[in-house]
Amino acid sequence: MPTRDTARGIHLIDIPGSGVSEIRAHPEGTVGHLGLTAPTAAGSTGGRIDALRITRPDPGLHWARAAITAAGERLRARGCGYAQVTLPTAGHPLLPAFRALGYRELARTRSTPLGGRQPVDGAYTLHALTERGFLDWLPLFRADYREALRRGGVPAAEAEAGAARWAADLTAHRLDSHRYLLRSLSHRGVPVGHLWAGVTRGPQTRALVHDVRIAAAHRGQGHGRALLRAAENEALSLGCSTLSLSVFADNRPAQRLYDALGYPVSGVVLLRRLTG
């Protein structure tokens, strides 16, 4: 069934069986396409804008803003408490339209191809996280992840549930080296940091870094750079062709580190509360 944004003069016309709607304006006709997904995970109220493409010249982002507004209205009508979208670059042309309508940056994803081994100072050692180390690290990760989601606009109960799911999965599978890499970094025999990464195996095996953590007393000494370079080498030894990571937008020190290491931005995750 078509819906109309009367303030901006557009219609959304669903394309049956596709999950995509045409964006139509009068008298121009079809000016773009919009794809939405309502939440499917139990307890989630987050909807997604999966695709937004404007196919006519839109120098003032008029139709883009109209479509983004209509997307939010549709997702709210489907019971969504917030809307999320991932743009592929930090300079995407639709980014100003999303920001103007109240979308805030939640996180950035970065990805780098793995070639030859990286030089790492011999004073560093990367080794498997011990059981004691895991039990010390897990509550820190859980609390930080929950609070980062809350700061980004995810409802408190949902942020807590998301952190709890990760904690439960880690607890159940921490010894599964085919699924997770849990590592500790030592400098001259002193533990200075931890790393958690997942490994996706297939035609192209990839490593996805979920958490990089340098102990507060050891920050600002180059240990983060050493930990990432050591992680690249280990991922390469496992046959990974790419190392990717996701970092919350307000983690400025980490963003600066990844810029310095040359990790290009592969996605900008934006979020806007629709209720409350």
Side-chain angles (χ1 to χ4, degrees), residues 208-260:
L208 175 59
V209 175
H210 298 289
D211 189 57
V212 174
R213 183 175 303 272
I214 300 299
H218 299 285
R219 292 173 187 166
Q221 302 174 46
H223 300 318
R225 177 186 290 268
L227 179 53
L228 263 297
R229 290 309 193 200
E232 289 178 28
N233 289 341
E234 179 147 0
L236 191 65
S237 71
L238 294 172
C240 296
S241 59
T242 303
L243 185 141
S244 303
L245 54 87
S246 178
V247 58
F248 286 106
D250 60 0
N251 190 344
R252 301 301 181 193
Q255 298 284 8
R256 289 194 295 270
L257 171 62
Y258 303 138
D259 284 338

Coordinates of all heavy atoms in Angstrom, one line a residue, residues 208-260:
L208 N 37.8 -10.4 12.1 CA 37.1 -9.2 12.5 C 37.4 -9.0 14.0 O 37.1 -9.8 14.8 CB 35.6 -9.5 12.3 CG 34.6 -8.3 12.9 CD1 34.9 -7.0 12.2 CD2 33.2 -8.7 12.7
V209 N 38.0 -7.8 14.2 CA 38.4 -7.5 15.6 C 37.3 -6.8 16.3 O 36.7 -5.8 15.8 CB 39.6 -6.5 15.5 CG1 40.0 -6.0 16.9 CG2 40.9 -7.2 14.9
H210 N 36.9 -7.4 17.4 CA 35.8 -6.8 18.2 C 36.2 -5.9 19.3 O 35.5 -5.0 19.7 CB 34.9 -8.0 18.8 CG 34.3 -8.9 17.8 ND1 33.3 -8.5 17.0 CD2 34.6 -10.2 17.4 CE1 32.9 -9.5 16.2 NE2 33.7 -10.5 16.4
D211 N 37.4 -6.2 19.9 CA 37.8 -5.4 21.1 C 39.3 -5.3 21.1 O 40.0 -6.4 21.0 CB 37.2 -6.0 22.4 CG 37.5 -5.1 23.6 OD1 37.0 -4.0 23.5 OD2 38.1 -5.6 24.5
V212 N 39.8 -4.1 21.2 CA 41.2 -3.9 21.4 C 41.3 -3.1 22.7 O 40.7 -2.0 22.8 CB 41.9 -3.1 20.3 CG1 43.3 -2.7 20.6 CG2 41.8 -3.9 19.0
R213 N 42.1 -3.6 23.7 CA 42.1 -2.9 25.0 C 43.5 -2.9 25.5 O 44.1 -3.9 25.7 CB 41.2 -3.7 26.0 CG 41.0 -3.1 27.4 CD 40.0 -4.0 28.1 NE 38.8 -4.0 27.4 CZ 37.8 -3.1 27.5 NH1 37.9 -2.1 28.4 NH2 36.7 -3.3 26.9
I214 N 43.9 -1.6 25.8 CA 45.2 -1.4 26.5 C 44.9 -1.0 27.9 O 44.1 -0.1 28.1 CB 46.1 -0.4 25.7 CG1 46.4 -0.8 24.3 CG2 47.4 -0.1 26.5 CD1 47.1 -2.1 24.1
A215 N 45.6 -1.6 28.9 CA 45.4 -1.3 30.3 C 45.6 0.2 30.5 O 46.6 0.8 29.9 CB 46.2 -2.1 31.2
A216 N 44.8 0.9 31.3 CA 44.9 2.3 31.5 C 46.3 2.8 31.9 O 46.8 3.8 31.4 CB 43.9 2.7 32.6
A217 N 47.0 2.0 32.7 CA 48.3 2.4 33.1 C 49.4 2.4 32.0 O 50.5 2.9 32.2 CB 48.8 1.6 34.3
H218 N 49.0 1.7 30.9 CA 50.0 1.5 29.8 C 49.6 2.2 28.5 O 50.3 2.0 27.5 CB 50.2 0.0 29.6 CG 50.7 -0.7 30.8 ND1 52.0 -0.7 31.2 CD2 50.0 -1.5 31.7 CE1 52.1 -1.4 32.3 NE2 50.9 -2.0 32.6
R219 N 48.6 3.1 28.6 CA 48.2 3.8 27.3 C 49.2 4.9 27.0 O 49.9 5.4 27.8 CB 46.8 4.3 27.5 CG 45.8 3.2 27.6 CD 44.4 3.7 27.9 NE 43.5 2.5 28.2 CZ 42.3 2.6 28.8 NH1 41.8 3.8 29.2 NH2 41.6 1.5 29.0
G220 N 49.2 5.2 25.7 CA 50.0 6.3 25.2 C 51.4 6.0 25.0 O 52.3 6.8 24.9
Q221 N 51.8 4.7 25.0 CA 53.1 4.2 24.9 C 53.4 3.4 23.6 O 54.4 2.7 23.5 CB 53.5 3.4 26.1 CG 53.4 4.2 27.4 CD 53.6 3.3 28.6 OE1 54.6 2.5 28.7 NE2 52.7 3.4 29.6
G222 N 52.4 3.4 22.7 CA 52.6 2.6 21.4 C 52.2 1.2 21.5 O 52.3 0.4 20.5
H223 N 51.6 0.8 22.6 CA 51.2 -0.7 22.7 C 50.0 -1.0 21.8 O 49.9 -2.1 21.3 CB 50.9 -1.0 24.2 CG 52.0 -0.8 25.1 ND1 53.3 -1.1 24.9 CD2 52.0 -0.2 26.4 CE1 54.1 -0.8 25.9 NE2 53.3 -0.3 26.8
G224 N 49.1 -0.1 21.6 CA 48.0 -0.3 20.7 C 48.4 -0.6 19.3 O 47.9 -1.6 18.7
R225 N 49.4 0.1 18.8 CA 49.9 -0.1 17.5 C 50.6 -1.5 17.4 O 50.3 -2.3 16.5 CB 50.9 1.0 17.1 CG 51.6 0.8 15.8 CD 52.7 1.8 15.6 NE 52.2 3.1 15.4 CZ 51.9 3.6 14.2 NH1 52.2 2.9 13.1 NH2 51.4 4.9 14.1
A226 N 51.3 -1.8 18.4 CA 52.0 -3.1 18.4 C 51.0 -4.3 18.5 O 51.1 -5.3 17.8 CB 52.9 -3.2 19.6
L227 N 49.9 -4.1 19.3 CA 48.9 -5.1 19.4 C 48.2 -5.3 18.0 O 48.0 -6.5 17.6 CB 47.9 -4.7 20.4 CG 46.7 -5.7 20.7 CD1 47.2 -7.1 21.0 CD2 45.9 -5.1 21.9
L228 N 47.9 -4.3 17.3 CA 47.2 -4.4 16.0 C 48.1 -5.1 15.0 O 47.7 -5.9 14.2 CB 46.7 -3.1 15.5 CG 45.2 -2.7 15.8 CD1 44.3 -3.7 15.1 CD2 44.9 -2.7 17.2
R229 N 49.4 -4.7 15.0 CA 50.3 -5.3 14.0 C 50.5 -6.8 14.4 O 50.6 -7.6 13.4 CB 51.7 -4.6 14.1 CG 51.7 -3.1 13.5 CD 51.0 -3.1 12.1 NE 51.3 -1.8 11.5 CZ 50.6 -1.4 10.5 NH1 49.6 -2.1 10.0 NH2 50.8 -0.2 9.9
A230 N 50.6 -7.1 15.6 CA 50.7 -8.5 16.0 C 49.5 -9.3 15.6 O 49.6 -10.5 15.2 CB 51.0 -8.7 17.5
A231 N 48.3 -8.7 15.8 CA 47.1 -9.3 15.4 C 47.0 -9.5 13.9 O 46.5 -10.6 13.4 CB 45.9 -8.4 15.8
E232 N 47.5 -8.6 13.1 CA 47.6 -8.7 11.6 C 48.4 -10.0 11.3 O 48.0 -10.8 10.4 CB 48.1 -7.5 11.0 CG 47.2 -6.3 11.0 CD 47.9 -5.1 10.4 OE1 48.8 -5.3 9.5 OE2 47.6 -4.0 10.8
N233 N 49.5 -10.1 11.9 CA 50.4 -11.2 11.7 C 49.8 -12.6 12.0 O 49.9 -13.6 11.3 CB 51.7 -11.1 12.4 CG 52.6 -10.0 11.9 OD1 52.4 -9.5 10.7 ND2 53.5 -9.5 12.7
E234 N 49.1 -12.6 13.1 CA 48.4 -13.9 13.5 C 47.3 -14.2 12.5 O 47.1 -15.3 12.2 CB 47.9 -13.8 14.9 CG 47.2 -15.1 15.4 CD 47.3 -15.4 16.8 OE1 48.0 -14.7 17.5 OE2 46.8 -16.4 17.2
A235 N 46.5 -13.1 12.2 CA 45.4 -13.4 11.2 C 46.0 -13.9 9.9 O 45.4 -14.8 9.2 CB 44.6 -12.1 11.0
L236 N 47.1 -13.3 9.5 CA 47.7 -13.8 8.2 C 48.2 -15.2 8.3 O 48.0 -16.0 7.4 CB 48.9 -12.9 7.9 CG 49.6 -13.0 6.6 CD1 48.6 -12.5 5.5 CD2 50.8 -12.1 6.5
S237 N 48.7 -15.6 9.5 CA 49.1 -17.0 9.7 C 48.0 -18.0 9.6 O 48.1 -19.2 9.4 CB 49.9 -17.2 11.0 OG 49.0 -17.0 12.1
L238 N 46.7 -17.5 9.9 CA 45.5 -18.3 9.9 C 44.9 -18.3 8.5 O 43.8 -18.9 8.3 CB 44.5 -17.8 10.9 CG 45.0 -18.0 12.4 CD1 44.0 -17.3 13.3 CD2 45.1 -19.5 12.8
G239 N 45.5 -17.7 7.5 CA 45.0 -17.7 6.2 C 44.0 -16.6 5.9 O 43.4 -16.6 4.8
C240 N 43.9 -15.6 6.8 CA 43.0 -14.5 6.5 C 43.6 -13.5 5.5 O 44.8 -13.2 5.4 CB 42.8 -13.7 7.8 SG 42.0 -14.6 9.1
S241 N 42.7 -13.1 4.6 CA 43.1 -12.1 3.6 C 42.8 -10.7 4.0 O 43.3 -9.7 3.4 CB 42.3 -12.4 2.3 OG 40.9 -12.4 2.5
T242 N 41.9 -10.5 5.0 CA 41.4 -9.2 5.4 C 41.3 -9.1 6.9 O 40.9 -10.1 7.5 CB 40.1 -8.8 4.7 OG1 40.2 -8.9 3.3 CG2 39.6 -7.4 5.1
L243 N 41.6 -8.0 7.5 CA 41.3 -7.7 8.9 C 40.4 -6.5 8.9 O 40.7 -5.5 8.4 CB 42.6 -7.5 9.7 CG 42.4 -7.3 11.2 CD1 43.6 -8.0 11.9 CD2 42.4 -5.9 11.6
S244 N 39.3 -6.7 9.6 CA 38.3 -5.6 9.7 C 38.1 -5.4 11.2 O 38.3 -6.2 12.1 CB 37.0 -6.0 9.0 OG 37.2 -6.3 7.7
L245 N 37.5 -4.2 11.5 CA 37.2 -3.9 12.9 C 36.1 -2.9 12.9 O 35.8 -2.2 11.9 CB 38.4 -3.4 13.7 CG 39.2 -2.2 13.1 CD1 38.6 -0.9 13.5 CD2 40.6 -2.3 13.5
S246 N 35.4 -2.8 14.0 CA 34.4 -1.7 14.3 C 34.7 -1.0 15.5 O 35.1 -1.6 16.5 CB 33.0 -2.4 14.4 OG 32.0 -1.4 14.6
V247 N 34.7 0.3 15.5 CA 35.0 1.1 16.6 C 33.9 2.2 16.8 O 33.5 2.8 15.9 CB 36.4 1.8 16.4 CG1 36.5 2.6 15.2 CG2 36.8 2.6 17.7
F248 N 33.5 2.4 18.1 CA 32.5 3.4 18.4 C 33.0 4.8 18.1 O 34.2 5.1 18.2 CB 32.1 3.3 19.8 CG 31.2 2.1 20.1 CD1 31.7 1.0 20.8 CD2 29.9 2.1 19.7 CE1 30.9 -0.1 21.0 CE2 29.1 1.0 19.9 CZ 29.6 -0.1 20.6
A249 N 32.1 5.6 17.6 CA 32.5 6.9 17.1 C 33.1 7.8 18.2 O 34.0 8.6 17.8 CB 31.3 7.7 16.5
D250 N 32.7 7.7 19.4 CA 33.3 8.5 20.5 C 34.6 8.0 21.0 O 35.2 8.6 22.0 CB 32.3 8.8 21.6 CG 31.8 7.5 22.3 OD1 32.3 6.4 21.9 OD2 31.0 7.6 23.2
N251 N 35.1 6.9 20.5 CA 36.4 6.4 20.9 C 37.5 7.1 20.1 O 38.1 6.5 19.2 CB 36.5 4.9 20.8 CG 37.7 4.3 21.4 OD1 38.7 5.0 21.8 ND2 37.7 3.0 21.6
R252 N 37.8 8.4 20.4 CA 38.7 9.2 19.6 C 40.1 8.6 19.5 O 40.8 8.6 18.5 CB 38.7 10.6 20.1 CG 37.3 11.3 20.0 CD 36.8 11.3 18.7 NE 35.5 12.0 18.6 CZ 34.6 11.9 17.6 NH1 35.0 11.3 16.5 NH2 33.5 12.6 17.7
P253 N 40.7 8.2 20.7 CA 42.1 7.6 20.6 C 42.2 6.4 19.6 O 43.1 6.3 18.9 CB 42.4 7.2 22.0 CG 41.5 8.1 22.9 CD 40.2 8.2 22.1
A254 N 41.2 5.5 19.6 CA 41.2 4.4 18.7 C 41.0 4.9 17.3 O 41.7 4.3 16.4 CB 40.1 3.4 19.1
Q255 N 40.2 5.8 17.0 CA 40.0 6.3 15.7 C 41.3 6.9 15.1 O 41.7 6.7 14.0 CB 38.9 7.4 15.6 CG 37.5 6.9 16.0 CD 36.8 6.1 14.9 OE1 37.4 5.8 13.9 NE2 35.6 5.8 15.2
R256 N 42.0 7.7 16.0 CA 43.3 8.2 15.6 C 44.4 7.1 15.3 O 45.1 7.2 14.4 CB 43.8 9.2 16.7 CG 43.1 10.5 16.8 CD 43.8 11.5 17.6 NE 43.9 11.1 19.0 CZ 43.1 11.4 19.9 NH1 42.0 12.1 19.7 NH2 43.3 11.0 21.2
L257 N 44.3 6.1 16.1 CA 45.3 5.0 15.9 C 45.0 4.3 14.6 O 46.0 4.0 13.8 CB 45.1 3.9 17.1 CG 45.9 2.6 16.9 CD1 47.4 2.8 16.8 CD2 45.5 1.6 18.0
Y258 N 43.8 4.0 14.3 CA 43.4 3.3 13.0 C 43.7 4.2 11.8 O 44.1 3.7 10.7 CB 42.0 2.9 13.0 CG 41.7 1.9 14.2 CD1 40.5 2.1 14.9 CD2 42.6 1.0 14.6 CE1 40.3 1.2 16.0 CE2 42.4 0.2 15.7 CZ 41.2 0.3 16.4 OH 41.0 -0.5 17.4
D259 N 43.5 5.5 12.0 CA 44.0 6.5 10.9 C 45.5 6.4 10.7 O 45.9 6.3 9.6 CB 43.6 7.9 11.3 CG 42.1 8.2 11.1 OD1 41.4 7.5 10.3 OD2 41.6 9.1 11.7
A260 N 46.2 6.4 11.8 CA 47.7 6.3 11.7 C 48.2 5.0 11.1 O 49.2 5.0 10.4 CB 48.3 6.5 13.1

